[in-house]
Amino acid sequence: MNQLQIKDINIDTKAGTKTIVSGVSLSIKQGEIVILMGQNGSGKSTLLNGIMGHPGYKILSGDIILSGKDIAMFSSDEKARSGLFLSPQTPPTIEGVTLAQFLYAAHRAIGGTKDILSFYKYAEEQRKKLGIEKDFLKRYVNDGLSGGEKKISELLQLAILKPKYALLDEIDSGVDMDALGKIISTIRNLAEDGIGFLLVTHSDKILDMLSPEMIYIMYDGKIARSGGKELLNEIKEKGYTKLTCQNK
């Protein structure tokens, strides 16, 4: 089965001042939901941004294997064309560019249709399927959107672009229960369509709602523990520091 494999990855700041992620290895199969947890500052966001090629970080060593190819040193756009998608904690705002225009350009860049009318029809179908308001695609990218609307926008982008793997950094943060329900149902449906997910969260609610195949816990830039949902009860009982350091 096709997998996204992260092998012994080490990530530094671009300035080279500190190694933030050290020797991390994990894997995600297509259609799987994998959760990444850990206290603030443990390296979760750096891992996701580094995997995607964020300009503020650099991969020192390690492999990112997708479809049998090591894409670790690919540029961000090359990684996107290879099938990766990143939803960052704070999505950028692009004034004057509608979401439909942005997605049409992105869809073409990854090899999608060049026929604009066919694309808009397809985008509208995805919008309706997610139950998103009628004029959403006409709004500027994240301009004037609430926190929850920005997260919904990211999921609409994900549904339209349909990557092989999606890296979601706290997609559930700062959203109300209605938006959270829409987020959860969308992730489930897209996983059923074969998209693999690596999802950073601090919420135990989302674990109960998604039933992930695997949970990884980061501590001090490393994967300190991994396992199933039983880890959630240990986190609640002991906290991250005691849980990850008890065997050291």
Side-chain angles (χ1 to χ4, degrees):
M1 182 180 290
N2 194 7
Q3 297 184 68
L4 173 64
Q5 296 175 289
I6 312 300
K7 295 184 176 181
D8 197 24
I9 207 81
N10 295 276
I11 300 172
D12 197 352
T13 61
K14 197 68 174 181
T17 56
K18 182 181 180 182
T19 300
I20 304 172
V21 172
S22 302
V24 166
S25 297
L26 55 84
S27 64
I28 310 132
K29 296 177 182 177
Q30 286 195 265
E32 277 192 340
I33 298 172
V34 173
I35 300 291
L36 185 63
M37 305 185 79
Q39 63 188 177
N40 291 333
S42 59
K44 305 182 300 299
S45 294
T46 296
L47 176 63
L48 266 58
N49 282 299
I51 289 171
M52 196 66 205
H54 188 290
Y57 303 96
K58 62 181 177 181
I59 294 175
L60 299 174
S61 61
D63 304 318
I64 301 173
I65 308 298
L66 177 57
S67 300
K69 183 184 296 184
D70 185 2
I71 65 169
M73 298 305 168
F74 281 20
S75 63
S76 295
D77 62 305
E78 289 174 324
K79 288 177 177 179
R81 285 195 292 270
S82 297
L84 286 189
F85 176 97
L86 171 65
S87 173
Q89 279 190 38
T90 307
T93 296
I94 308 176
E95 297 180 9
V97 178
T98 68
L99 184 57
Q101 291 170 331
F102 170 75
L103 283 169
Y104 174 60
H107 196 255
R108 286 190 62 182
I110 61 173
T113 180
K114 294 182 180 180
D115 179 44
I116 192 167
L117 294 179
S118 296
F119 171 78
Y120 281 143
K121 181 180 178 181
Y122 166 66
E124 273 294 305
E125 290 172 353
Q126 297 303 312
R127 178 196 63 77
K128 290 177 182 177
K129 188 182 294 185
L130 296 183
I132 295 173
E133 64 185 72
K134 185 175 181 180
D135 293 331
F136 202 84
L137 283 163
K138 298 178 182 178
R139 300 177 72 173
Y140 295 149
V141 179
N142 293 323
D143 186 26
L145 301 188
S146 68
E149 286 175 327
K150 289 180 181 179
K151 303 297 186 180
I152 295 298
S153 175
E154 292 288 297
L155 287 176
L156 179 56
Q157 294 172 45
L158 176 59
I160 289 172
L161 297 176
K162 285 197 165 48
K164 295 175 182 176
Y165 296 94
L167 315 175
L168 307 184
D169 196 352
E170 298 194 31
I171 193 74
D172 55 316
S173 177
V175 301
D176 59 31
M177 287 305 296
D178 288 343
L180 181 60
K182 189 173 292 186
I183 287 168
I184 295 300
S185 63
T186 300
I187 291 173
R188 281 181 185 151
N189 290 336
L190 292 174
E192 288 175 2
D193 287 343
I195 296 177
F197 287 89
L198 178 59
L199 173 60
V200 168
T201 184
H202 291 283
S203 172
D204 55 350
K205 291 180 182 177
I206 201 167
L207 270 74
D208 292 331
M209 298 169 82
L210 283 176
S211 298
E213 279 77 12
M214 179 67 73
I215 300 171
Y216 292 94
I217 301 175
M218 284 193 74
Y219 182 81
D220 194 26
K222 303 177 179 67
I223 298 294
R225 293 286 300 273
S226 62
K229 285 185 65 176
E230 70 279 357
L231 281 182
L232 182 58
N233 291 328
E234 291 191 64
I235 293 169
K236 291 178 180 178
E237 179 184 346
K238 301 174 183 177
Y240 289 120
T241 301
K242 187 175 180 181
L243 175 65
T244 53
C245 294
Q246 61 184 357
N247 295 324
K248 292 185 178 182

